[in-house]
Amino acid sequence: MRGAASVSSSKGTGPQVQSIEPPKAYVGALKFLLRPLVRGLIAHGMTFPHFCTLLKSVFVDVAGEFTVEGKRLTDSRVSLITGVHRKDVKRLRETPRDAIVRSPYVTIGAQVAGHWTGRAPYLDDAGAPRALPRSGPVSFDSLVESISKDLRSRTLLDEWLRQGMVTLDDGLVRLNTQSFIPNRGFDDLAYYYGRNLHDHIAAATHNLEGGTPPFLERSTYYDGLTPRSVADLEARARAIGMDALVKMNREALHLARKDDGNPDATLRMNFGVYFFKSEKDAPMDKDDKE
C-alpha cells in the first residue's frame, strides 16, 4: 500500500499524526536537506553508528510531544510511534538530557554588540554605531560594564581586535558591523549552527504541518547566473541583510527593555538571513525529482 494513511487523535495535546508510510515528496525533500548535514557529520568525524545512537535519543525525546489527553505517555507508546525498541526507550527516558550550554563569552559578547547597534547613547545621528572612547560615561568600558561586571572590557577588546570585530583608531573603538556574531571560535560557531538551523527547520516544519498562523519563511532562487552576477547579488544580499538585522535588533532591544519584569514575557524569537551559492544543486534520485 502506498500513500500517507494516518492515525490521529483530536483530543491530543501535541502533534498526533503517525504515518504508516511517509509521503514520498517528504522523503525526497528529507534526503535532499540531509546532504549538507551528513557532509558536516563526516567532516567532523561522526560515523553512521554514532549518529544513529544520537538520533535514537532524539526520536525518544521528541516523542514526548506526541501526547494523548488523559493518558500517560508510556514506553510502549513511545516505542510504537518511533520504532525504537522498548528497552532502549526505557533506558533513554531515564537518562538525563544533555543541556545545550552557551559559553558566557557568546552571551556577553552578543549582548554588547546588540546594545552597541541598538541603544541611542551608542549611535550616531545616522543611527550607526558610534566610535567609542575606551573610558568615560559613554564608552566601550561603560558599555561592557552595563552588560556584565564579571568580564573585563580589556579582555573583550583584545579578543575582538584579534577577530577583526573592532578596530582601534586614535583611542576610539570602532565596531565592524559586518562581523555581527562576536565570536568565530568553533564551539561558538557550532552553537549558532545548531540554534539557527533548528529555528529555521522548526519554522518550515510548522508551516508544512499547516500550523497557523504560518511563520515567515521565504527565499528568492535563481539559477543560470554567471559568477559575476552571483558576486553582485551576494554583495547586495549582505548589505540588505545587515541592514535588516540591525533594524530588527534595535526594535527587539527596545521591546525587551519595555517587557522586562512583565510576567507574560516568556517567549523568544529569532530572525535571520542567509545567502548560498553553488555550481549546481545536490543530485537527487530520479524518483525524487518526479
Side-chain angles (χ1 to χ4, degrees), residues 224-255:
L225 298 169
T226 64
R228 175 61 182 272
S229 294
V230 170
D232 289 346
L233 290 169
E234 182 174 9
R236 183 63 175 148
R238 289 182 183 277
I240 294 172
M242 284 306 305
D243 183 62
L245 287 172
V246 168
K247 288 179 178 177
M248 281 293 291
N249 170 71
R250 195 167 296 159
E251 181 67 16
L253 179 60
H254 167 72
L255 292 175

Side-chain angles (χ1 to χ4, degrees), residues 86-276:
R86 191 166 60 85
K87 291 183 178 179
D88 288 334
V89 170
K90 178 177 175 59
R91 173 179 58 81
L92 290 169
R93 294 183 76 188
E94 293 175 350
T95 302
R97 296 172 56 186
D98 294 330
I100 300 176
V101 180
R102 290 178 290 182
S103 72
Y105 181 83
V106 169
T107 303
I108 296 173
Q111 289 182 31
V112 171
H115 282 242
W116 198 346
T117 57
R119 288 178 57 187
Y122 303 103
L123 303 175
D124 61 21
D125 293 339
R130 291 174 50 189
L132 299 176
R134 279 290 315 280
S135 60
V138 180
S139 63
F140 183 79
D141 289 352
S142 68
L143 172 59
V144 175
E145 187 175 348
S146 71
I147 303 300
S148 173
K149 299 185 184 300
D150 297 326
L151 177 68
R152 295 178 61 240
S153 61
R154 181 73 224 190
T155 301
L156 183 63
L157 177 61
D158 288 343
E159 182 62 17
W160 277 11
L161 286 169
R162 182 185 69 82
Q163 296 175 1
M165 279 286 299
V166 296
T167 58
L168 196 57
D169 182 23
D170 292 332
L172 295 177
V173 185
R174 302 180 186 276
L175 178 67
N176 177 10
T177 56
Q178 296 302 312
S179 302
F180 200 72
I181 297 177
N183 196 312
R184 298 176 186 272
F186 179 81
D187 289 352
D188 297 326
L189 286 176
Y191 165 76
Y192 284 111
Y193 174 83
R195 187 198 68 179
N196 292 343
L197 290 183
H198 168 277
D199 288 356
H200 192 164
I201 293 175
T205 300
H206 170 87
N207 294 346
L208 187 65
E209 294 174 347
T212 54
F215 285 113
L216 170 65
E217 203 273 322
R218 298 287 185 269
S219 68
T220 299
Y221 170 87
Y222 282 86
D223 59 9
L225 298 169
T226 64
R228 175 61 182 272
S229 294
V230 170
D232 289 346
L233 290 169
E234 182 174 9
R236 183 63 175 148
R238 289 182 183 277
I240 294 172
M242 284 306 305
D243 183 62
L245 287 172
V246 168
K247 288 179 178 177
M248 281 293 291
N249 170 71
R250 195 167 296 159
E251 181 67 16
L253 179 60
H254 167 72
L255 292 175
R257 293 165 69 88
K258 179 181 177 182
D259 291 345
D260 187 35
N262 189 320
D264 291 334
T266 59
L267 300 180
R268 70 177 184 89
M269 56 77 67
N270 193 3
F271 171 78
V273 295
Y274 71 93
F275 182 92
F276 180 74

